[in-house]
C-alpha cells in the first residue's frame, strides 16, 4: 500500500479477533516504505473460558452488562499479551510503535435496525490495553460508519485495494472468517465489498458439537460426508443471501438456532453429512457472490482461516471454474495476516485523520475518519 512519508514512527500493530472466535492474530506492520510490510506475526488462542463467554455474549442472557465489561477486560489482557510478544520479537521498545489498531470482539452487529441507525458492538477495554502496553490504541473502528448510515462492515476492502489491486484486471478477495466477505477490486480503481454470508461459524459449531474439536481441520471430516441437496436448498433460501449490497451480517443471523430451524426436517441426517452440507453451503454462497461480481477477474484470492480448509478451497475452485482460486499468500500477504494488517492500516488512517471507510462498500453517507484514540 502506498504511503506518504511522515516524521513520526510508521510502525503499527494490528490486532484482530474475528467471528470464528478461534483467537487473536497480531501483526507488526511497517508503513515507512513504498508499500506496507509485515515484519512480525503472532497468534494466540482464546482460553476455553474466554471463548465460551464471548460466544455466550452473542445472544441475550443474564447480567449482560457486567459480564460484557469483564469479558472486555479479559480480552484486553489477552490482546496485551499478543502485543508484548510482537514487541519482544521485534527487539524494539514499545515507544517505537506508533499505535495499535484493535478490533475487539464483535458480539452484536445490527446496523440500521430498530431505530434506523442500529448499532455494532465490539467488546474491548481500549484504555486498559493502552495502560498495559504503553502504546496508543485506536479502537471502536466501526461505529462512526454506522452513525453515518453505513453497515460498519466490511472495512477491509479499502485495504485490499491498496495491497492486492491491479490496474489491468479486476481482483476478487474473499475473506472467510466466521462470516465471509468479498472485495471486488476493479481494474479502474473502483471498489465494492459486502458480506457473503456464512464462513466458518456454522461449520465450527457443528464440528464442536459432534466431534469435540473446535474446527474441522482441513475440512477432512466434511470430505468424508455426502452433501444433502434438500438441506442445502433450504439453507440457500435465506433472504440475506439474495439481498443486494451494501449488506453485512454476523452471528446475529447465522447461529445455532438458525441452523436448528433448517435441520428440523432432517432429523435423521448423519452428522458428517450435515458437516459436508455446511461446507458446501459456505462454498456455494461465496461462489455465487464471486460469479455475480467477477467482471473480468481471473483471480479469487482467499484469506482468513477458511483459506486453510482444503475441502472448502477445493469446492470453491469447482464452483468457480473460470477463476483461479488461491490464497493471498500468492499475492504477497499470508492469509492469516490480512485482517490484522488491515486494522494496523486503519489505526494509521485514524492518526493521519484520513478516511477509513468506503461509502461504495458500507453505504455510509460519506467517507469518515474511523476510530477512537486512547493515547499512551
Amino acid at each position: 500500500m502506498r504511503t506518504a512519508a511522515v516524521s513520526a514512527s510508521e510502525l503499527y500493530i494490528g490486532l484482530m479477533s474475528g467471528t470464528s472466535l478461534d483467537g487473536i492474530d497480531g501483526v507488526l506492520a511497517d508503513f515507512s516504505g513504498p508499500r506496507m510490510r509485515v515484519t512480525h506475526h503472532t497468534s494466540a488462542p482464546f482460553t476455553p473460558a474466554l471463548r465460551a463467554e464471548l460466544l455466550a455474549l452473542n445472544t441475550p442472557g443474564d447480567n449482560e452488562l457486567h459480564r460484557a465489561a469483564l469479558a472486555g477486560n479479559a480480552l484486553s489482557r489477552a490482546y496485551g499479551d499478543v502485543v508484548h510478544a510482537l514487541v519482544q520479537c521485534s527487539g524494539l521498545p514499545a515507544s517505537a510503535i506508533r499505535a495499535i489498531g484493535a478490533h475487539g470482539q464483535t458480539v452484536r452487529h445490527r446496523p440500521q435496525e430498530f431505530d434506523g441507525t442500529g448499532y455494532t458492538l465490539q467488546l474491548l477495554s481500549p484504555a486498559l490495553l493502552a495502560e498495559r502496553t504503553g502504546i496508543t490504541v485506536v479502537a471502536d473502528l466501526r461505529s462512526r460508519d454506522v452513525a453515518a448510515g453505513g453497515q460498519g462492515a466490511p472495512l477491509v476492502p479499502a485495504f485490499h485495494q491498496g495491497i492486492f489491486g491491479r490496474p489491468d484486471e479486476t481482483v476478487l478477495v474473499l475473506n472467510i472468517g466466521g462470516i465471509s466477505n468479498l472485495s471486488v477490486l476493479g481494474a479502474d480503481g473502483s471498489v465494492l465489498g459486502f458480506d457473503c454470508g456464512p464462513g466458518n461459524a456454522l461449520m465450527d459449531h457443528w464440528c464442536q458439537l459432534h466431534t469435540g474439536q473446535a474446527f474441522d481441520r482441513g475440512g477432512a471430516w466434511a470430505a468424508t460426508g455426502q452433501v444433502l441437496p434438500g438441506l442445502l436448498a433450504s439453507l440457500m433460501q435465506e433472504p440475506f443471501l439474495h439481498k443486494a449490497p451494501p449488506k453485512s451480517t454476523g452471528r446475529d443471523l447465522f447461529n445455532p438456532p438458525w441452523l436448528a430451524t433448517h435441520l428440523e426436517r432432517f432429523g435423521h441426517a448423519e452428522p458428517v453429512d450435515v458437516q459436508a452440507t455446511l461446507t458446501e453451503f459456505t462454498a456455494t454462497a461465496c461462489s455465487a457472490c464471486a460469479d455475480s461480481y467477477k467482471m473480468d477477474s481471473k483471480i479469487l484470492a482467499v484469506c482468513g482461516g477458511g483459506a486453510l480448509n482444503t475441502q472448502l478451497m477445493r469446492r470453491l475452485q469447482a464452483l468457480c471454474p473460470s477463476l483461479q482460486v488461491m490464497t493471498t499468500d500468492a499475492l504477497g500477504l499470508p492469509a492469516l495476516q490480512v485482517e490484522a494488517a488491515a486494522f494496523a492500516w486503519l489505526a494509521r488512517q485514524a492518526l493521519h485523520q484520513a478516511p477509513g471507510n468506503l461509502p461504495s462498500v458500507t453505504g455510509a453517507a460519506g467517507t469518515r475518519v474511523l476510530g477512537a484514540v486512547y493515547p499512551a
Side-chain angles (χ1 to χ4, degrees):
M1 176 159 297
R2 302 196 177 281
T3 60
V6 294
S7 58
S9 169
E10 285 290 82
L11 295 174
Y12 289 78
I13 285 175
L15 300 173
M16 178 65 187
S17 54
T19 50
S20 288
L21 282 166
D22 51 359
I24 305 160
D25 280 302
V27 300
L28 178 58
D30 184 355
F31 291 88
S32 63
R35 296 183 68 83
M36 183 212 73
R37 182 171 63 95
V38 171
T39 64
H40 297 83
H41 168 239
T42 192
S43 60
F46 288 136
T47 64
L50 179 56
R51 184 183 188 277
E53 183 68 340
L54 292 172
L55 183 59
L57 286 166
N58 275 265
T59 54
D62 293 335
N63 209 12
E64 283 185 285
L65 291 178
H66 173 73
R67 291 166 52 210
L70 293 183
N73 286 349
L75 181 63
S76 300
R77 294 187 184 98
Y79 271 20
D81 291 342
V82 171
V83 170
H84 289 311
L86 286 169
V87 171
Q88 185 174 24
C89 288
S90 74
L92 297 169
S95 58
I97 312 301
R98 180 67 184 89
I100 299 165
H103 176 262
Q105 187 64 45
T106 300
V107 291
R108 303 290 166 83
H109 184 68
R110 307 296 292 269
Q112 300 179 356
E113 297 187 43
F114 310 116
D115 62 354
T117 301
Y119 63 92
T120 184
L121 180 60
Q122 288 74 44
L123 296 185
L124 191 67
S125 174
L128 181 59
L129 181 58
E131 286 291 329
R132 291 180 67 86
T133 62
I135 301 172
T136 294
V137 173
V138 182
D140 189 23
L141 288 151
R142 298 188 186 276
S143 62
R144 181 62 190 273
D145 185 88
V146 171
Q151 292 285 312
L155 294 181
V156 292
F159 174 75
H160 288 167
Q161 173 67 7
I163 295 293
F164 304 123
R166 298 183 175 185
D168 56 343
E169 67 174 308
T170 299
V171 175
L172 305 180
V173 180
L174 177 64
N175 176 64
I176 306 178
I179 298 298
S180 57
N181 56 73
L182 181 71
S183 296
V184 183
L185 314 176
D188 59 358
S190 62
V191 182
L192 180 66
F194 54 91
D195 284 354
C196 301
N200 302 315
L202 296 176
M203 292 186 286
D204 291 351
H205 158 71
W206 194 254
C207 186
Q208 174 77 46
L209 185 64
H210 290 277
T211 73
Q213 300 300 308
F215 62 96
D216 182 10
R217 188 176 298 277
W221 188 41
T224 65
Q226 299 293 320
V227 173
L228 304 171
L231 176 58
L232 179 61
S234 178
L235 298 172
M236 287 299 299
Q237 289 175 4
E238 166 55 47
F240 175 85
L241 303 179
H242 308 286
K243 286 177 59 177
K247 61 178 181 176
S248 62
T249 188
R251 288 180 181 268
D252 307 86
L253 174 59
F254 294 106
N255 53 36
W258 180 90
L259 177 59
T261 299
H262 287 274
L263 287 172
E264 287 175 355
R265 296 189 294 110
F266 302 90
H268 298 294
E270 293 293 332
V272 68
D273 294 337
V274 174
Q275 184 72 10
T277 306
L278 292 175
T279 304
E280 190 73 4
F281 177 41
T282 292
T284 301
C286 291
S287 64
C289 292
D291 187 62
S292 296
Y293 292 93
K294 65 182 179 182
M295 296 186 282
D296 63 340
S297 178
K298 299 178 178 63
I299 295 171
L300 178 62
V302 184
C303 58
L308 306 184
N309 186 321
T310 305
Q311 176 65 5
L312 179 58
M313 292 289 282
R314 186 182 298 123
R315 292 306 303 150
L316 282 170
Q317 184 61 83
L319 293 167
C320 300
S322 66
L323 296 168
Q324 183 181 0
V325 178
M326 61 182 72
T327 69
T328 56
D329 299 56
L331 301 185
L333 189 58
L336 295 184
Q337 297 180 12
V338 175
E339 277 204 291
F343 283 92
W345 177 79
L346 283 165
R348 184 180 187 275
Q349 292 294 102
L351 293 193
H352 286 252
Q353 288 293 292
N357 66 334
L358 288 174
S360 62
V361 171
T362 67
T367 59
R368 299 289 188 270
V369 177
L370 305 181
V373 179
Y374 294 76

